[in-house]
Amino acid sequence: AKADGRNAFRFFDPQMQQLLAERLKLEDDLKQALSHSQFVIYLQPQLDDAAKLVGAEVLLRWQHPEKGLVSPLEFIPSAERTGLIVEIGAWVIDQACAVLARWEKSADTRSLTLAVNVSARQFHRADFATEVGKALSRHGVSGERLKLELTESLALENVAESAARMQELRSMGIHLSLDDFGTGQSSLYYLKQLPLSQMKIDQSFVRDILTDPNDAVLVKTIIGMANNLKLEVMAEGVETEAQRAYLREHGCTLYQGYLFSPPISVAEFERQFLAAPLA
Ligand code: C2E
Ligand code: CA
Ligand code: CA
Ligand code: CA
């Protein structure tokens, strides 16, 4: 009864009530967004050591009728809570495959990859790999063109199950990248059991790499771990030439960040980064 009393108090707190109302409104708006095609994908280029384009990360945006372009940070948590992320995520993968299918037509773009972020709720569904496979064949795209970015917590939630799911995806040629690396506490022991292709250093470590000795040590450790596991290392959030130089000096080979470009629309990306016009 005491606990109930406390909940009741919280419920009638006008501030709490407003928050709750806003949350419900957002969830309702998200359903609308799906049925009214208000989502768009943006692309952020990924480059290698020689500053050659190797692909892009797919980043979701919500083209809201009143609010304009809404960041995923504002709506992904809601989409995860309600489970809508499963449908939204499937839509993102389908869009990525459609872009890859178009790039398949030119020799310049045929080898580029697209990296798509995947939520735990999506990944842990039994039919996830099957659905990704269907999207690839729907667009006639080979699995090697697609990379999925998974977080540490997602991968380590249930290592045995995750490893099996990841193996399923790998057998379709799909590459797997461990996103936001360094923010969790993965041990080498568990990471060794996962069929990863890449580790992605979180931007929070890249940001202060030249000013915070702790971050510098961490980044060096991450790169060492990746080399140990024979994985590629991609740094995200690279904003300055000095950061890139430091990262390169310590063995990083792939880069993404405002130094090269912010995330931009697919049309803008093709205009800026692809030499020949596509059909
Ligand atoms: P993330 O996967 O860590 O993506 C990197 C974020 O850093 C992106 O934010 C990107 O715009 C931003 N960024 C890129 N370069 C720089 C830089 O040089 N400096 C700084 N300060 N930031 C940079 P964005 O696009 O707002 O996405 C936020 C998060 O939303 C992503 O973080 C990802 O976790 C999630 N997200 C985005 N799209 C999807 C999606 O399709 N599905 C799922 N499940 N999550 C998504
Ligand atoms: Ca990511
Ligand atoms: Ca990140
Ligand atoms: Ca720091």
Side-chain angles (χ1 to χ4, degrees), residues 137-165:
S137 33
R138 197 159 50 234
H139 295 278
V141 169
S142 120
E144 278 93 62
R145 305 273 72 82
L146 190 66
K147 192 182 290 168
L148 298 177
E149 297 195 0
L150 314 171
T151 61
E152 287 171 77
S153 55
L154 170 157
L156 300 178
E157 225 167 80
N158 179 338
V159 183
E161 191 215 292
S162 296
R165 175 79 22 88

Side-chain angles (χ1 to χ4, degrees), residues 57 59 117 149 179 200 236:
E57 178 173 6
L59 293 157
N117 293 285
E149 297 195 0
D179 205 3
K200 226 172 154 179
E236 73 171 17

